[in-house]
């Protein structure tokens, strides 16, 4: 049995962020904008938003928050997603989880235009080339570290 190996993606992520910032700079005067949709107030979501705001700010992507109370109707949230789909200033849409139990998450995800779905949150969309950012990050980390995963267990 081989010793466990911890894969630290910090330096790899730094290189990717530097590369992304250079590519985004080339797009000027166009500006990338990620619209986030949050229903209810979750501490985890608030922390993630602040993290995203800092991270995206470093590479020149604007973050536009769209928040709803936990009692918001699903139709109201879908209407906002449809509006964001039509907004040419919005180049990506992300829905924060968890969602209140009164909201059907699949209905929200299915209303995001495929061209603006930054997470590929639905099964069908993943089969048309949109890869989950988490899965993509894991694959990138494995490739960058030349880790042979055949027959290994991961945690």
């Amino acid at each position: 049995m081989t010793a466990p190996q911890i894969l630290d993606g910090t330096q790899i992520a730094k290189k990717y962020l530097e590369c992304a910032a250079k590519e985004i700079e080339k797009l000027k005067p166009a500006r990338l904008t990620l619209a986030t949709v949050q229903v209810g107030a979750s501490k985890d979501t608030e922390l993630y938003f602040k993290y995203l705001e800092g991270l995206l700010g470093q590479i020149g992507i604007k973050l536009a928050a769209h928040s709803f109370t936990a009692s918001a109707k699903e139709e109201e949230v879908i209407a906002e997603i449809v509006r964001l789909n039509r907004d040419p200033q919005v180049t990506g849409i992300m829905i924060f989880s968890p969602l209140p139990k009164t909201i059907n998450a699949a209905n929200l995800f299915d209303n995001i235009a495929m061209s603006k779905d930054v997470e590929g949150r639905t099964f069908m969309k993943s089969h048309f080339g949109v890869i989950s950012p988490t899965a993509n990050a894991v694959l990138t980390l494995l490739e960058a570290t030349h880790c042979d995963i055949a027959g290994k267990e991961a945690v």
Side-chain angles (χ1 to χ4, degrees), residues 54-130:
L55 179 70
L56 297 179
Q58 288 176 32
I59 59 174
I61 297 176
K62 180 181 174 188
L63 189 58
H66 299 269
S67 299
F68 295 86
T69 64
S71 61
K73 302 280 187 228
E74 185 174 306
E75 298 77 25
E76 179 185 1
V77 180
I78 289 173
E80 181 64 8
I81 292 168
V82 170
R83 189 192 70 71
L84 293 169
N85 284 332
R86 293 185 185 136
D87 184 342
Q89 300 298 312
V90 173
T91 53
I93 301 171
M94 186 173 104
I95 299 172
F96 285 126
S97 295
L99 292 164
K101 292 180 182 180
T102 56
I103 303 278
N104 181 332
N107 288 342
L108 299 189
F109 300 138
D110 285 345
N111 277 280
I112 299 174
M114 191 179 308
S115 62
K116 293 190 179 188
D117 184 0
V118 299
E119 294 186 292
R121 297 286 299 258
T122 66
F123 175 79
M124 287 301 291
K125 289 179 183 172
S126 68
H127 285 272
F128 290 105
V130 179

Side-chain angles (χ1 to χ4, degrees), residues 13-94:
K14 184 177 178 182
K15 288 179 189 175
Y16 272 87
L17 286 174
E18 289 169 359
C19 182
K22 288 176 186 173
E23 291 298 314
I24 291 167
E25 184 63 32
K26 291 178 188 177
L27 297 174
K28 302 264 173 159
R31 174 131 185 179
L32 299 178
T33 300
L34 174 64
T36 60
V37 177
Q38 178 179 350
V39 185
S42 161
K43 286 184 182 181
D44 290 342
T45 300
E46 296 294 331
L47 286 171
Y48 189 46
F49 178 83
K50 287 184 190 300
Y51 168 77
L52 272 179
E53 189 173 40
L55 179 70
L56 297 179
Q58 288 176 32
I59 59 174
I61 297 176
K62 180 181 174 188
L63 189 58
H66 299 269
S67 299
F68 295 86
T69 64
S71 61
K73 302 280 187 228
E74 185 174 306
E75 298 77 25
E76 179 185 1
V77 180
I78 289 173
E80 181 64 8
I81 292 168
V82 170
R83 189 192 70 71
L84 293 169
N85 284 332
R86 293 185 185 136
D87 184 342
Q89 300 298 312
V90 173
T91 53
I93 301 171
M94 186 173 104

